[in-house]
Amino acid sequence: MLGLERGLVKLEPYNDKWSKLFDKEKELLSSQLKDLIIEVEHVGSTSIEGLFAKPIIDIAIGISSFDVIIKLKEKVKELGYVEVSVSIDGKHVFARYKEKKITHFLHVMIYNQNLWIDQISFRNYLRSAPEAKIEYIKLKEELANKYPKDVISYTNKKKKFVDDILRRAKKL
């Protein structure tokens, strides 16, 4: 139900248990990181009802500044997360595994800065635009079939669509 081996692309139909799993994780993170964080949001495809998704819960954590990142790293490590190297300035990513499968990603970024706003805008737009959601489902299925063992290519090939959705969202 939850989890995928690193590097693989396998989509599953939307599962309403994903939001419950997010709520449980949000409670844990909020209680353990309360002095370090501003906001915790469910993002990514598992946060959008009806969307096919890799069965991994993506969580955006908003912080006031990267001054807290050393303490935050220690705390999330205690919760079973490991840091993942990413090439996006202004973002730290952590993954939690169960039986060699990634179950959760934490995307830590400055609250209400560009990366944060883009994550939330993308999610909110797809939640409110059925035609865009259908476009995204088709694209994801096509790419998952083309790149089942190459999550980097899968992600990179979605960039044009993501950028287009962000342009649409900014016009609202």
Side-chain angles (χ1 to χ4, degrees), residues 4 6-9 54 147-156:
L4 191 62
R6 188 178 179 118
L8 296 184
V9 179
K54 295 187 313 271
Y147 303 107
K149 295 181 180 181
D150 184 359
V151 74
I152 293 170
S153 293
Y154 169 82
T155 302
N156 289 341

Side-chain angles (χ1 to χ4, degrees), residues 92-108:
H92 290 264
V93 178
F94 302 86
R96 188 162 71 197
Y97 292 80
K98 183 176 182 180
E99 299 167 5
K100 296 185 181 181
K101 292 182 177 181
I102 299 169
T103 59
H104 297 75
F105 277 121
L106 301 181
H107 305 267
V108 180

